[in-house]
Amino acid sequence: MSAPRIAPGRRRDVGLATWLLSRAAGRVAGTRPPALFLVLGRHRRLFRGWLRFAGRLMPRGTLPRRETELVILRVAHLRDCRYEFEHHRRLGRRAGVTPADVERVARGPGAAGWTDRERTLLAAVDALHHDRDLDDAGWRELRTHLDEKAAIELLLLAGHYEMLATAIAALRLRPDPPR
């Protein structure tokens, strides 16, 4: 992988609020301030809007945090996005995602050990990734586990992390080093 295409901003580049938020986010994740925040923070107005939207999905979404982290980890695995995967492997631990779960995420929805609901969520992620759609049978199965609002949230969560994986790859961001 080549060097990052945009260097993480310093305090004067991203502003005091983003600088402090990045430092706090790094402490929570057990890393240095996230490079993603300090790169996106160079576009202050866009970063604030993105952060508000992203925060509505995670950590303030309506899906249980464990399920949210499993979905994000599956997207990161499918996209081969080490930055996203490593970041959410650490965050997932705090939400009850075990090392065995992380290994199962790589094997996919067909791996033994998932609940029916988890299997359905991960199968939906796979379909959205591979087909860019969810067929009628997959939708019906998803709706046996999620109400209307939660189904919308799942679609946006998976799509959001696909978008982030694209930006992270194009920016050539490497995983944040541990503190």
Side-chain angles (χ1 to χ4, degrees):
M1 180 189 286
S2 65
R5 290 180 165 161
I6 297 176
R10 295 178 304 268
R11 184 170 53 191
R12 74 171 184 260
D13 302 317
V14 300
L16 182 60
T18 298
W19 179 257
L20 293 172
L21 174 71
S22 298
R23 296 179 67 78
R27 278 194 296 281
V28 168
T31 64
R32 293 186 184 157
L36 180 65
F37 282 21
L38 295 173
V39 170
L40 297 182
R42 287 179 169 277
H43 190 317
R44 294 179 190 193
R45 208 169 118 221
L46 185 60
F47 176 74
R48 285 190 302 270
W50 167 76
L51 193 61
R52 182 177 166 92
F53 172 74
R56 293 284 182 180
L57 295 171
M58 194 291 294
R60 293 184 311 276
T62 60
L63 294 172
R65 273 301 302 280
R66 175 183 156 73
E67 292 174 0
T68 297
E69 293 298 341
L70 292 173
V71 166
I72 295 167
L73 286 166
R74 185 64 182 162
V75 170
H77 171 75
L78 292 170
R79 288 297 308 269
D80 195 26
C81 183
R82 278 189 55 229
Y83 184 100
E84 207 167 68
F85 194 88
E86 289 305 314
H87 184 74
H88 284 279
R89 182 183 55 77
R90 286 187 296 275
L91 291 178
R93 226 182 341 213
R94 300 177 83 180
V97 176
T98 67
D101 294 329
V102 172
E103 288 178 23
R104 264 199 317 278
V105 162
R107 292 196 303 273
W114 298 125
T115 66
D116 288 341
R117 180 177 162 118
E118 291 167 342
R119 181 175 289 106
T120 299
L121 298 180
L122 295 173
V125 169
D126 280 23
L128 292 167
H129 173 79
H130 294 297
D131 304 331
R132 301 287 184 239
D133 194 10
L134 192 56
D135 66 19
D136 291 341
W139 180 254
R140 281 190 301 274
E141 180 64 22
L142 186 65
R143 288 303 307 277
T144 66
H145 298 282
L146 300 181
D147 66 16
E148 194 173 78
K149 288 181 182 178
I152 291 168
E153 186 174 322
L154 174 76
L155 298 175
L156 291 176
L157 178 68
H160 176 251
Y161 279 89
E162 286 273 356
M163 177 208 64
L164 274 182
T166 298
I168 288 165
L171 290 166
R172 308 292 192 260
L173 296 182
R174 296 184 178 111
D176 296 316
R179 289 177 66 82

